[in-house]
Amino acid sequence: MTHATGTIPGNANDQARRTITPLLQAGLEESRRHPLPASPSSEKNEPGHADLLFRQLLAADAAPGPVASTRAAEPAGTAPFAVPTATVTDLLAAYAAGTVTPSVVVALLEPRWSAAGPAPAAVLAAIAGIHQAAADSDARYRAGTARPLEGIPFAVKDIIDVAGTPVTAGSKQTGDRIAPADATVVSRLRAAGAIPVFMSATTEFACGAPDNGRYGPVPNPWDEERWTGGSSTGSAAALAAGLVPFALGSDTGGSIRVPSALCGLTGIKPTYGLVPRTGVASLSWTMDHVGPMARSAADLAVLLPLMAGPDGLDPTAGAAVPDLAADPAGVAGLRIGVPRGWFTERCDAAVLAAFEAALEVFAGLGAELVPIEFDGLEAVHDESWNVFYGELASTQEANNDRRDLFDAGTNARLDCGFVPLAVDYLRALRRRPLMQQHILDRMDEAGVHVLLTPGIGATAPRLDDLTMSVDGEVFNLHDVIPRNTRLWDYTGFPALMAPAGLAPDGLPVGIQLIARPWQDRLCLAAAIGFQAVTDHHRRLPGIATTWAPERPVA
């Protein structure tokens, strides 16, 4: 397998670099104008208070033991079965019925992973042993011993280790690194019968420029002049172009949810600590999350329980497993908080129209829509960047004498990482438990179960200049993309992105569901209910259905 490289004009990456530093400086100045109360103080604002709050919430919500995956069925009347566009639940049903076997599915999909396939930039390296694994899955179905994900192929983001496979974090810094062992999440999916088939592209260390310095950019399958969004670029392109039915991503500022919104996919950033990060390259360890990306929320409901729970190695993993069983029937009577203000101010009319239409769908399903607002979101947005930059600089400090090997985007972020003082970083950490409690208090006061916001404020950015258009006004992507997503990485609340339709330019837009920590099941249930009565998640770009190998598979 090869990665098709491309280039973005240098001025686009340079422009992005010039944009990031002023944003950091402005945020730092504002943060320094508002110090937290001096000691002694009764405020619960030590960084450890965030961990304590999450432990308390988990204890209140924990299930008595490990939770088995519940197979959420797709509604009747869905599109005809076709392997490249099949969902996980489609394939599991077809395997169980004997309609198709894992070996046949792998044979049908494998030509799509080549340099001549529909999304060559998404694929970095093949993973060994896929044909034997598929044959073993065939045998298990014949023997009646199939596991929950038996024979389901998936892609793995190039920051997540797969034993014996090149895993480079999309960087020249890593050379020809071969992963020594599976990441916990990969090991768990293998144990459930799933088959990792290739490493998918990422921005450098999940934070670099769209034009990756080692492999090049990943075009959006909906429009090759647009970007997928990042940093889970290859996972999104692979799903949208029909290469695999699900993929692993990571999310530190929106990197599962952003490409999901911009490529018409469904992805979840779990509660912080729900899925162990063991074997995953760290970017910003207090904001890093690992999660699945798929074509439906029903798929996520199957996948997430099989990935969740402590592994004894990740110090941030929760000590127990919460109830993850999603009940789509629970949408009736669900109280959905609808914040506007910050979340809607920088959104194109097409995004807002899809958001309003989604609200009507939920109301029609029996949910109650409740206005809700939160204080201080702009300030907290700035604080989240201070945490991110400080932790990035710490994780890459040893490479600081080899800055020439980083791409322009990573270098720009590292420049920012060495600017904040220790007091700036610690102030940002201390604000975290205060914001977490503020959101919980407002949700409790309003009596809401979940929140619903627009996804990303515009359709996918252009690759030539990295800009996005909001009602005709042109913004650098950094001014639009993280606005609605980064808060939930900073606070650790679960957040799910789902397709909500197409804009007039023919590109996807999304909606975002957020729940209290450890109540990921409510995001899943609401999204499954929404997708049961809409078909947005079944829409894929033309290349997913029209591409065919030059020599048909026998």
Side-chain angles (χ1 to χ4, degrees):
M1 297 180 192
T2 58
H3 188 299
T5 60
T7 58
I8 298 173
N11 61 340
N13 280 332
D14 292 342
Q15 179 186 356
R17 189 169 184 167
R18 289 193 300 271
T19 301
I20 291 172
T21 303
L23 288 174
L24 170 69
Q25 292 288 2
L28 277 175
E29 291 170 9
E30 181 64 21
S31 176
R32 289 166 179 169
R33 281 195 289 268
H34 301 283
L36 292 165
S39 179
S41 168
S42 61
E43 269 196 359
K44 296 180 179 179
N45 61 22
E46 293 183 7
H49 282 119
D51 298 330
L52 176 61
L53 176 61
F54 268 44
R55 289 198 301 271
Q56 292 170 337
L57 292 169
L58 177 57
D61 203 81
V67 179
S69 172
T70 54
R71 186 170 299 180
E74 281 280 299
T78 53
F81 177 81
V83 168
T85 58
T87 65
V88 171
T89 52
D90 289 336
L91 286 174
L92 289 173
Y95 290 159
T99 305
V100 70
T101 67
S103 289
V104 168
V105 166
V106 167
L108 287 169
L109 292 179
E110 192 168 14
R112 304 175 76 87
W113 311 334
S114 72
V123 182
L124 296 188
I127 295 172
I130 62 174
H131 296 290
Q132 184 58 56
D136 292 344
S137 291
D138 294 346
R140 282 181 173 270
Y141 278 106
R142 289 194 299 269
T145 58
R147 295 164 292 182
L149 294 176
E150 196 67 64
I152 302 294
F154 68 101
V156 182
K157 184 176 181 178
D158 186 40
I159 65 166
I160 301 173
D161 280 354
V162 178
T165 305
V167 181
T168 68
S171 180
K172 295 177 183 177
Q173 296 280 3
T174 54
D176 298 321
R177 177 182 181 271
I178 302 296
D182 282 346
T184 294
V185 67
V186 173
S187 176
R188 287 178 174 177
L189 290 169
R190 282 197 207 257
I195 304 171
V197 293
F198 63 80
M199 302 305 300
S200 58
T202 177
T203 58
E204 185 175 34
F205 290 109
C207 72
D211 189 3
N212 179 276
R214 179 167 181 169
Y215 299 112
V218 180
N220 192 315
W222 286 87
D223 180 346
E224 292 200 345
E225 295 183 354
R226 307 293 190 108
W227 189 39
T228 55
S231 61
S232 303
T233 54
S235 293
L239 274 165
L243 275 61
V244 285
F246 86 93
L248 289 179
S250 66
D251 196 311
T252 306
S255 296
I256 286 172
R257 291 162 293 150
V258 170
S260 291
L262 301 182
C263 295
L265 307 167
T266 309
I268 187 168
K269 180 202 76 65
T271 297
Y272 182 76
L274 179 62
V275 177
R277 298 175 299 110
T278 307
V280 181
S282 178
L283 168 57
S284 174
W285 62 87
T286 70
M287 292 171 59
D288 290 342
H289 304 68
V290 181
M293 302 166 67
R295 298 196 184 104
S296 76
D299 286 358
L300 300 181
V302 173
L303 297 166
L304 186 59
L306 298 168
M307 300 163 58
D311 65 353
L313 299 171
D314 179 357
T316 66
V321 183
D323 178 6
L324 293 173
D327 178 12
V331 176
L334 198 69
R335 287 175 59 87
I336 300 178
V338 185
R340 297 186 185 269
W342 172 264
F343 296 102
T344 58
E345 286 169 355
R346 194 166 292 170
C347 287
D348 187 81
V351 174
L352 293 177
F355 173 59
E356 296 296 340
L359 291 173
E360 291 182 11
V361 170
F362 279 111
L365 290 170
E368 184 177 353
L369 307 179
V370 182
I372 188 171
E373 297 298 339
F374 302 102
D375 299 332
L377 293 182
E378 183 172 6
V380 169
H381 185 72
D382 292 336
E383 296 289 28
S384 72
W385 283 110
N386 294 335
V387 173
F388 169 82
Y389 286 134
E391 293 178 356
L392 167 64
S394 177
T395 61
Q396 292 300 322
E397 182 182 17
N399 286 329
N400 202 40
D401 60 349
R402 304 194 306 162
R403 291 283 293 272
D404 59 305
L405 295 180
F406 287 120
D407 69 26
T410 310
N411 267 315
R413 297 191 186 283
L414 284 170
D415 287 344
C416 295
F418 292 103
V419 171
L421 303 174
V423 69
D424 296 318
Y425 172 69
L426 292 170
R427 186 189 312 113
L429 290 183
R430 291 174 64 204
R431 287 202 202 280
R432 175 181 279 149
L434 302 179
M435 191 62 193
Q436 290 168 331
Q437 191 63 59
H438 171 65
I439 295 170
L440 290 169
D441 289 345
R442 287 290 172 89
M443 291 181 73
D444 289 345
E445 291 164 7
V448 300
H449 302 99
V450 296
L451 307 173
L452 182 68
T453 76
I456 307 305
T459 55
R462 297 184 58 83
L463 275 172
D464 59 0
D465 61 7
L466 306 183
T467 61
M468 305 176 81
S469 176
V470 178
D471 294 334
E473 185 176 357
V474 176
F475 290 90
N476 182 275
L477 62 86
H478 297 290
D479 295 322
V480 178
I481 279 183
R483 189 176 176 96
N484 288 0
T485 57
R486 181 167 287 277
L487 170 65
W488 311 114
D489 291 285
Y490 177 70
T491 58
F493 285 45
L496 180 150
M497 191 71 72
L502 301 179
D505 61 6
L507 298 176
V509 297
I511 54 170
Q512 181 178 226
L513 287 154
I514 304 101
R516 291 174 176 81
W518 312 111
Q519 294 187 0
D520 306 58
R521 63 186 181 276
L522 296 181
C523 294
L524 294 167
I528 292 171
F530 178 75
Q531 292 181 348
V533 295
T534 61
D535 67 353
H536 306 308
H537 65 296
R538 285 289 184 177
R539 298 179 184 177
L540 293 172
I543 198 168
T545 55
T546 60
W547 185 89
E550 292 184 5
R551 181 176 300 174
V553 178

